[in-house]
Amino acid sequence: MTLAKAVVTGSVYRTPEKRFTQNNVPISSFVMNIGDREEMLLRVISKRTALDEIVSSLNKDDRVLVEGRLQIATVKNENGADRKIYEIDANTVEAISGITTSGTANTDSSTKDIVKFPNEEEFADELIGEDEIPF
Protein backbone atom coordinates (compact mmCIF):
# COMPACT_ATOMS: atom_id res chain seq x y z
CA MET A 1 0.00 0.00 0.00
CA THR A 2 1.39 3.40 -0.98
CA LEU A 3 0.91 6.05 1.69
CA ALA A 4 2.37 9.32 0.56
CA LYS A 5 5.34 11.13 -0.84
CA ALA A 6 8.21 11.15 1.64
CA VAL A 7 11.56 12.87 1.93
CA VAL A 8 13.92 11.36 4.50
CA THR A 9 17.55 11.66 5.48
CA GLY A 10 19.65 9.11 7.23
CA SER A 11 22.69 6.93 6.93
CA VAL A 12 23.21 3.82 4.83
CA TYR A 13 22.79 0.86 7.17
CA ARG A 14 23.38 -1.97 4.72
CA THR A 15 25.49 -1.68 1.56
CA PRO A 16 23.43 -1.32 -1.65
CA GLU A 17 22.85 -4.32 -3.85
CA LYS A 18 21.66 -4.61 -7.42
CA ARG A 19 19.48 -7.38 -8.79
CA PHE A 20 17.69 -7.98 -12.06
CA THR A 21 14.12 -9.04 -12.79
CA GLN A 22 13.29 -11.80 -15.28
CA ASN A 23 12.92 -9.08 -17.92
CA ASN A 24 16.46 -7.82 -17.17
CA VAL A 25 15.24 -4.65 -15.40
CA PRO A 26 17.79 -3.53 -12.77
CA ILE A 27 16.52 -2.95 -9.24
CA SER A 28 18.87 -1.36 -6.71
CA SER A 29 18.12 -1.45 -3.01
CA PHE A 30 19.67 -0.62 0.32
CA VAL A 31 18.60 -0.21 3.92
CA MET A 32 18.96 3.14 5.65
CA ASN A 33 18.69 4.16 9.29
CA ILE A 34 16.51 7.24 9.71
CA GLY A 35 16.50 7.21 13.53
CA ASP A 36 18.63 9.58 15.58
CA ARG A 37 18.87 7.88 18.95
CA GLU A 38 17.63 4.38 18.10
CA GLU A 39 17.61 2.39 14.90
CA MET A 40 14.66 3.00 12.61
CA LEU A 41 15.30 1.06 9.43
CA LEU A 42 13.77 1.78 6.05
CA ARG A 43 14.32 -0.16 2.82
CA VAL A 44 14.99 2.00 -0.25
CA ILE A 45 14.18 0.51 -3.66
CA SER A 46 15.11 2.09 -6.97
CA LYS A 47 13.78 0.76 -10.26
CA ARG A 48 15.17 3.70 -12.20
CA THR A 49 18.34 3.20 -14.20
CA ALA A 50 19.15 6.90 -13.75
CA LEU A 51 19.77 6.25 -10.03
CA ASP A 52 22.02 3.21 -10.54
CA GLU A 53 25.24 5.23 -10.51
CA ILE A 54 24.53 7.11 -7.28
CA VAL A 55 23.16 4.05 -5.46
CA SER A 56 26.12 1.89 -6.47
CA SER A 57 28.55 4.56 -5.21
CA LEU A 58 27.07 4.51 -1.68
CA ASN A 59 28.86 2.81 1.19
CA LYS A 60 27.82 1.87 4.70
CA ASP A 61 27.42 4.93 7.01
CA ASP A 62 27.18 7.42 4.10
CA ARG A 63 24.58 10.15 4.70
CA VAL A 64 21.81 10.25 2.08
CA LEU A 65 18.61 12.10 1.24
CA VAL A 66 15.86 10.03 -0.40
CA GLU A 67 12.62 11.24 -1.98
CA GLY A 68 9.91 8.88 -3.16
CA ARG A 69 6.69 7.04 -2.34
CA LEU A 70 6.40 5.56 1.16
CA GLN A 71 5.00 2.02 1.09
CA ILE A 72 4.13 -0.53 3.74
CA ALA A 73 4.22 -4.24 2.99
CA THR A 74 2.94 -6.92 5.36
CA VAL A 75 4.70 -10.28 5.35
CA LYS A 76 4.44 -13.34 7.55
CA ASN A 77 7.57 -14.36 9.43
CA GLU A 78 8.62 -17.90 10.34
CA ASN A 79 6.33 -17.92 13.39
CA GLY A 80 3.28 -17.01 11.28
CA ALA A 81 3.01 -13.53 12.78
CA ASP A 82 2.50 -10.53 10.52
CA ARG A 83 5.43 -8.16 10.18
CA LYS A 84 5.33 -4.73 8.53
CA ILE A 85 8.15 -3.64 6.24
CA TYR A 86 8.52 0.07 5.50
CA GLU A 87 10.08 0.99 2.19
CA ILE A 88 10.44 3.90 -0.19
CA ASP A 89 10.18 3.56 -3.95
CA ALA A 90 12.84 6.18 -4.64
CA ASN A 91 12.53 8.91 -7.24
CA THR A 92 15.64 10.75 -6.03
CA VAL A 93 18.68 9.64 -4.05
CA GLU A 94 21.34 12.19 -3.12
CA ALA A 95 24.52 11.68 -1.16
CA ILE A 96 24.92 14.35 1.51
CA SER A 97 28.56 15.37 1.65
CA GLY A 98 30.25 18.06 3.67
CA ILE A 99 27.83 17.73 6.60
CA THR A 100 28.74 16.05 9.84
CA THR A 101 26.26 14.18 12.02
CA SER A 102 25.75 17.28 14.14
CA GLY A 103 24.58 19.20 11.06
CA THR A 104 27.47 21.67 10.79
CA ALA A 105 29.51 22.09 7.65
CA ASN A 106 32.98 20.61 7.34
CA THR A 107 35.83 22.82 6.22
CA ASP A 108 36.94 20.46 3.47
CA SER A 109 36.59 21.07 -0.27
CA SER A 110 33.03 19.69 -0.40
CA THR A 111 31.67 22.84 1.29
CA LYS A 112 31.66 24.60 -2.07
CA ASP A 113 28.36 22.80 -2.76
CA ILE A 114 26.59 24.48 0.19
CA VAL A 115 24.14 27.17 -0.86
CA LYS A 116 24.33 30.42 1.06
CA PHE A 117 21.32 32.72 1.15
CA PRO A 118 21.68 36.52 1.24
CA ASN A 119 20.57 38.58 4.22
CA GLU A 120 17.16 40.26 4.07
CA GLU A 121 18.74 43.69 3.67
CA GLU A 122 20.63 42.57 0.55
CA PHE A 123 17.49 41.80 -1.45
CA ALA A 124 14.85 43.94 0.29
CA ASP A 125 14.84 46.37 -2.66
CA GLU A 126 13.96 43.54 -5.03
CA LEU A 127 10.75 42.58 -3.20
CA ILE A 128 7.42 43.27 -4.87
CA GLY A 129 5.78 46.44 -3.66
CA GLU A 130 2.29 46.44 -2.12
CA ASP A 131 0.80 48.23 -5.16
CA GLU A 132 2.10 45.48 -7.51
CA ILE A 133 0.20 42.59 -5.86
CA PRO A 134 -2.74 41.69 -8.14
CA PHE A 135 -5.25 40.83 -5.39
Side-chain angles (χ1 to χ4, degrees), residues 56-68:
S56 64
S57 70
L58 295 175
N59 295 311
K60 186 175 169 133
D61 295 328
D62 284 351
R63 301 278 301 158
V64 292
L65 179 135
V66 177
E67 178 270 323

Side-chain angles (χ1 to χ4, degrees), residues 9-132:
T9 60
S11 58
V12 177
Y13 185 79
R14 194 173 305 142
T15 309
E17 60 184 35
K18 185 176 183 177
R19 296 185 180 178
F20 293 89
T21 65
Q22 293 175 349
N23 298 332
N24 208 24
V25 175
I27 298 177
S28 301
S29 67
F30 63 95
V31 176
M32 67 184 289
N33 180 11
I34 60 173
D36 286 335
R37 301 197 191 283
E38 57 186 64
E39 288 182 351
M40 186 177 216
L41 303 179
L42 180 69
R43 184 184 323 172
V44 179
I45 299 171
S46 170
K47 301 171 191 159
R48 291 157 183 78
T49 54
L51 297 178
D52 281 346
E53 185 177 332
I54 185 71
V55 172
S56 64
S57 70
L58 295 175
N59 295 311
K60 186 175 169 133
D61 295 328
D62 284 351
R63 301 278 301 158
V64 292
L65 179 135
V66 177
E67 178 270 323
R69 289 189 332 255
L70 180 63
Q71 304 175 131
I72 298 176
T74 305
V75 296
K76 292 198 182 277
N77 63 10
E78 299 163 350
N79 302 337
D82 286 341
R83 180 176 166 228
K84 291 187 179 186
I85 298 174
Y86 298 92
E87 56 188 28
I88 288 186
D89 183 7
N91 293 325
T92 306
V93 175
E94 294 181 32
I96 301 174
S97 62
I99 299 177
T100 63
T101 55
S102 64
T104 59
N106 284 335
T107 56
D108 62 0
S109 62
S110 62
T111 57
K112 65 182 177 192
D113 297 333
I114 296 175
V115 177
K116 295 186 180 181
F117 295 98
N119 295 332
E120 249 182 61
E121 297 85 30
E122 291 179 24
F123 65 90
D125 296 333
E126 298 175 16
L127 295 177
I128 298 174
E130 296 260 341
D131 54 335
E132 297 178 24

